[in-house]
Amino acid sequence: KGKSDIYNDYSGHGNHVAGSICANGKLKGVAPDAKLLILKVLEGNGNGNMESVINAINYAIAQKVDIINMSLGCSVNIPELQNAIRNAINKNIVVVSASGNNGDGNANTNEIDYPSGYEQVISVGAMDNTRLTANFTNSNSFVDLLAPGVNVISTSNSKSYTMMDGTSM
């Protein structure tokens, strides 16, 4: 719907992911000196549309970012989304996405969300603190790696810390 001044993170999900990337206080993210371009594409209830996601990808490309991280997904393959991701890849932008939290705990079943289901995207699943795959992680041949995703402590909306689970974490 165009640009907006409303950037509140109603669920804390975005703050948690951002902290995991670049927190630089008591907690350190994986890249504490990184600069983030945060583009809000989902509503407060976590719903949204792929047109907003595609527009955000195109905006990030125009801003010449190095990496696009998406902690979202849908079960439908949308060609326009894949085209936007291909455009990012063609501009030497790394594209990473959470694999999704619809897993059934059985590695032999395929739960595929997009954009993580595209071959060009680095798809990240979750593991627990014993290095076992989290039972909620989508499993499919597109999952490229596992990272901590259970009981992950990161930044919260209340200027403190919180613990969350998920492939986004």
Side-chain angles (χ1 to χ4, degrees), residues 73-85:
C74 72
S75 61
V76 179
N77 177 0
I78 299 170
E80 295 85 1
L81 175 62
Q82 188 172 25
N83 287 338
I85 289 169

Side-chain angles (χ1 to χ4, degrees), residues 150-164:
V150 177
N151 297 328
V152 176
I153 298 173
S154 187
T155 51
S156 75
N157 286 357
S158 61
K159 296 185 180 178
S160 68
Y161 306 101
T162 190
M163 190 179 303
M164 290 184 157

Side-chain angles (χ1 to χ4, degrees), residues 23-66:
N24 196 3
K26 282 184 179 180
L27 289 177
K28 297 281 187 204
V30 295
D33 295 326
K35 294 179 183 174
L36 299 181
L37 171 65
I38 297 173
L39 303 173
K40 184 176 179 175
V41 298
L42 301 178
E43 298 170 359
N45 60 8
N47 292 326
N49 62 64
M50 279 300 152
E51 181 181 357
S52 295
V53 175
I54 292 164
N55 289 340
I57 292 169
N58 291 331
Y59 182 80
I61 292 168
Q63 299 305 306
K64 300 182 179 178
V65 301
D66 296 316

Side-chain angles (χ1 to χ4, degrees), residues 101-159:
N101 302 322
N102 301 312
D104 62 5
N106 180 350
N108 296 317
T109 58
N110 285 321
E111 305 91 16
I112 300 175
D113 277 358
Y114 298 93
S116 68
Y118 296 128
E119 186 176 337
Q120 302 89 347
V121 173
I122 298 171
S123 176
V124 183
M127 65 179 170
D128 64 21
N129 61 1
T130 65
R131 296 186 179 183
L132 294 176
T133 302
N135 61 0
F136 56 78
T137 295
N138 284 12
S139 57
N140 58 67
S141 61
F142 297 106
V143 176
D144 295 298
L145 61 101
L146 299 177
V150 177
N151 297 328
V152 176
I153 298 173
S154 187
T155 51
S156 75
N157 286 357
S158 61
K159 296 185 180 178

